[in-house]
Amino acid sequence: MKDPRHHQGPYLKSPDRPMNPIDVLKQNTVSFISEEELTSRLKEDRPLRVKLGCDPTRPDLTFGHVVVLRKLRQFQDLGHQAILIIGDYTALIGDPSGRSMERPDVSKEEIKTNAETYMAQAFKVLDESRTTVRRNSEWFGKMDFEDALKLARKMTVARMLERDDFAKRYDGNSPISIVEFLYPLLQGYDSIMTEADVELGGTDQIFNLLVGRALQKDAGKPEQAVITLPLLLGLDGVDKMSKSLNNYIALNDDPKDMFGKIMSVSDEVMWDYYRLLLLTQEAEIETLKSAHPMQAKKDLALKLTSQFHSPDEAGRELEQFEKVFSRGGVPDEMKVFTWKQLAEGETARLIDLLGATSLFSSKKEARRLVEQGAVRIDGERCSDPNTEVSRPDSEITLQAGKRLFFKMLP
């Protein structure tokens, strides 16, 4: 387990002048409801119960999740208890936040498999000794239909349609299922069952988090403080980091992919990664901006890859990156395929060879790279996806884009 002190550095104004706890907790936040209530609870001299929910609809957590996990870790470093909700029941519905259409169904088997990976990934950021993990199937799995009806009465359709994404879908005649209306109520009910003092989420979660406050008040319980954080932009620098948009960095990415993806972030977006993922203070960012952007980005990639893998692995990827991009070389290590693994016969189309490697998100993506002139065979550019490639007599190296290299043997 990582030493909790590893994350405390950014919280200090100086070695002997710690920041006020509220100032620490407000760092990088967008909404902070209610500061007065939270300040009062901090004076109760007890660990607060700080809730964060994750629905295991996919197997990987991304750097987008890290933004909120860092805030949860800040609470832990101040002595509070993290309540990590694995939404194995709410994942059956799918969070409609920020969606323009209903999410596809996920099977119980997929949810179970994904949930098993989430904790190991979350503990790359969180202090396991200060984390309580709950699955919301613990309580929703015991509910009968009468219980569900009682919960549904807590919210009106008019109130649900105040929610921006629901309102847009309704105005655009895009279907909204009744079960999607239940999602905020289920997330809010989690707060009752865990007696949450605080709930964290991205800015797209604000409606759900406020429902939690409303349900707690209706149940005669203290209302949770609500804290939202910015949505991290993805690798395209336009949309929020999302697996469906294929613009994400996963915590389970290998060191090479993680380092390379970070290096592909735009210079403008890079500073948000410093702020939200490394909790770098503004004064330090201003100092970093005086250096060359490439050096700042290498430092960013080195630090993040070190945290999620190891300093040795990160250093090796930095060395390989500089060899390929700064000195025009090829990496020392790359995937190796034989001709028989990729093709039948003595010739094959370039696009078919690339697709057979499974190194690309889709054949369409491979075709795009070829047509953009980003694919080379032994250094020679190929821009026609239908180019016939003959079985080589000896080892050849193929490059696709800036980061992907692989060898092909006869």
Side-chain angles (χ1 to χ4, degrees):
M1 185 183 304
K2 293 180 180 178
D3 185 339
R5 290 172 296 179
H6 176 75
H7 292 275
Q8 291 181 347
Y11 313 157
L12 304 179
K13 290 182 179 178
S14 69
D16 56 353
R17 291 175 54 207
M19 291 175 66
N20 182 292
I22 286 292
D23 292 336
V24 171
L25 300 177
K26 288 177 73 172
Q27 182 185 7
N28 295 330
T29 61
V30 177
S31 302
F32 202 92
I33 309 166
S34 151
E35 181 178 338
E36 182 178 344
E37 292 173 10
L38 182 55
T39 301
S40 176
R41 292 186 196 185
L42 288 171
K43 295 177 181 178
E44 293 176 10
D45 194 27
R46 65 175 176 88
L48 300 186
R49 298 171 63 81
V50 188
K51 171 194 166 195
L52 172 64
C54 297
D55 285 352
T57 53
R58 299 285 186 92
D60 295 328
L61 294 178
T62 73
F63 275 17
H65 294 101
V66 172
V67 175
V68 189
L69 288 169
R70 288 283 192 231
K71 182 58 61 180
L72 190 52
R73 178 60 190 250
Q74 284 184 311
F75 271 97
Q76 290 183 312
D77 288 344
L78 291 169
H80 304 294
Q81 186 74 12
I83 310 296
L84 182 63
I85 303 287
I86 303 296
D88 57 343
Y89 205 92
T90 42
L92 293 170
I93 299 175
D95 186 0
S97 300
R99 304 290 293 189
S100 59
M101 62 186 69
E102 188 174 2
R103 289 181 182 270
D105 291 338
V106 183
S107 71
K108 287 185 177 180
E109 291 72 23
E110 288 178 282
I111 290 170
K112 181 179 179 181
T113 300
N114 295 344
E116 290 172 354
T117 72
Y118 269 32
M119 286 180 285
Q121 294 176 70
F123 291 142
K124 291 181 179 181
V125 179
L126 300 180
D127 177 354
E128 187 173 356
S129 68
R130 290 185 179 274
T131 304
T132 299
V133 179
R134 303 290 299 273
R135 289 174 167 81
N136 58 18
S137 60
E138 294 174 31
W139 42 90
F140 291 126
K142 298 175 183 176
M143 275 190 170
D144 58 23
F145 192 61
E146 183 178 355
D147 294 326
L149 291 175
K150 288 180 181 178
L151 182 58
R153 289 192 179 98
K154 302 294 184 181
M155 189 70 63
T156 66
V157 171
R159 175 72 189 279
M160 285 294 183
L161 289 177
E162 291 176 4
R163 181 177 174 150
D164 186 58
D165 40 19
F166 280 158
K168 287 178 180 177
R169 286 168 62 182
Y170 182 77
D171 291 341
N173 294 316
S174 180
I176 306 171
S177 71
I178 297 298
V179 76
E180 287 184 281
F181 273 175
L182 291 176
Y183 188 94
L185 288 167
L186 267 60
Q187 182 172 330
Y189 192 76
D190 287 346
S191 294
I192 291 178
M193 296 305 296
T194 57
E195 300 181 317
D197 292 296
V198 185
E199 184 169 11
L200 309 178
T203 53
D204 57 349
Q205 288 284 308
I206 186 66
F207 185 91
N208 295 355
L209 306 186
L210 292 176
V211 168
R213 280 176 61 89
L215 292 182
Q216 286 175 318
K217 182 178 181 180
D218 184 74
K221 297 180 179 294
E223 297 173 61
Q224 64 186 16
V226 164
I227 297 176
T228 65
L229 292 105
L231 302 178
L232 188 71
L233 288 180
L235 300 179
D236 54 10
V238 177
D239 295 304
K240 77 169 186 174
M241 186 169 287
S242 165
K243 292 183 181 177
S244 61
L245 296 174
N246 196 33
N247 66 351
Y248 67 96
I249 305 172
L251 270 64
N252 277 344
D253 278 341
D254 63 35
K256 177 182 176 61
D257 284 343
M258 182 175 287
F259 194 98
K261 287 180 181 180
I262 296 168
M263 290 303 301
S264 73
V265 172
S266 72
D267 292 350
E268 294 76 15
V269 172
M270 168 177 60
W271 304 116
D272 281 340
Y273 281 49
Y274 266 106
R275 291 184 187 94
L276 301 176
L277 301 178
L278 294 177
L279 305 182
T280 306
Q281 296 286 349
E282 290 302 320
E284 185 178 348
I285 287 176
E286 289 305 311
T287 300
L288 290 169
K289 285 182 176 180
S290 64
H292 194 284
M294 177 59 76
Q295 185 58 52
K297 199 174 297 182
K298 287 178 183 178
D299 290 343
L300 175 69
L302 187 66
K303 290 176 181 178
L304 287 171
T305 306
S306 294
Q307 288 189 15
F308 294 105
H309 292 283
S310 73
D312 286 345
E313 290 171 302
R316 186 161 54 248
E317 294 310 323
L318 172 60
E319 181 181 341
Q320 291 297 305
F321 180 88
E322 291 179 335
K323 178 178 180 180
V324 173
F325 295 97
S326 301
R327 300 191 289 273
V330 296
D332 294 331
E333 298 178 4
M334 62 185 85
K335 296 277 188 180
V336 178
F337 300 92
T338 64
W339 178 265
K340 286 185 177 181
Q341 287 178 286
L342 304 180
E344 296 179 0
E346 295 300 308
T347 64
R349 293 190 309 160
L350 175 60
I351 187 63
D352 294 330
L353 289 172
L354 297 178
T357 66
S358 299
L359 297 176
F360 302 86
S361 59
S362 65
K363 213 167 183 178
K364 182 179 179 181
E365 171 65 10
R367 180 180 295 275
R368 181 184 66 80
L369 288 169
V370 176
E371 292 175 344
Q372 290 179 348
V375 173
R376 297 173 183 267
I377 301 178
D378 275 346
E380 183 177 345
R381 191 186 307 275
C382 298
S383 56
D384 182 359
N386 297 312
T387 296
E388 287 289 332
V389 180
S390 299
R391 179 173 181 163
D393 295 325
S394 59
E395 175 186 292
I396 61 174
T397 299
L398 289 89
Q399 176 184 356
K402 294 181 178 180
R403 296 185 292 110
L404 179 58
F405 292 79
F406 66 92
K407 292 179 180 179
M408 187 163 59
L409 305 179

